[in-house]
Amino acid sequence: PMSDLVDMEKERQRLRKEAASLERRMDTQRKRIDELEAQMAAVDPTDYLALETQQRKIDEARTAIDDLETAWLEVSEQLES
């Protein structure tokens, strides 16, 4: 029926929007990592606590990107089916 086609297209549109949102969030996280790594260069190399804190922030941002990439892949697979 026609309503099924309309529902399928609405779902595909929702998935495309979600994929685009995830891509923007990944870009934001990548920029954040670049900023955090630049800040790391400014940390006193003898201040181990500050270095550890900064590295933790970088690791958290990388984990966030991994999670976003996983979500993006899942959405992309749904779009392909």
Side-chain angles (χ1 to χ4, degrees):
M2 190 64 142
S3 64
D4 288 346
L5 289 174
V6 170
D7 289 344
M8 286 173 52
E9 187 52 38
K10 283 183 181 178
E11 178 64 7
R12 291 184 67 71
Q13 184 176 4
R14 184 192 70 76
L15 290 169
R16 283 192 295 269
K17 285 183 180 181
E18 187 174 344
S21 172
L22 289 165
E23 289 170 6
R24 286 190 301 275
R25 291 169 59 196
M26 285 187 286
D27 286 343
T28 299
Q29 283 298 323
R30 286 185 190 103
K31 289 175 187 168
R32 182 164 186 259
I33 289 173
D34 289 345
E35 292 169 4
L36 290 169
E37 288 175 341
Q39 292 169 8
M40 175 75 97
V43 173
D44 178 351
T46 63
D47 187 346
Y48 299 113
L49 184 57
L51 290 169
E52 181 181 333
T53 299
Q54 195 66 18
Q55 186 60 52
R56 190 174 321 114
K57 291 177 185 177
I58 292 169
D59 292 344
E60 288 169 1
R62 287 189 175 136
T63 298
I65 285 180
D66 289 345
D67 293 344
L68 290 167
E69 287 175 342
T70 299
W72 182 86
L73 284 170
E74 290 169 359
V75 169
S76 295
E77 287 174 4
Q78 290 176 24
L79 275 169
E80 290 177 5
S81 62

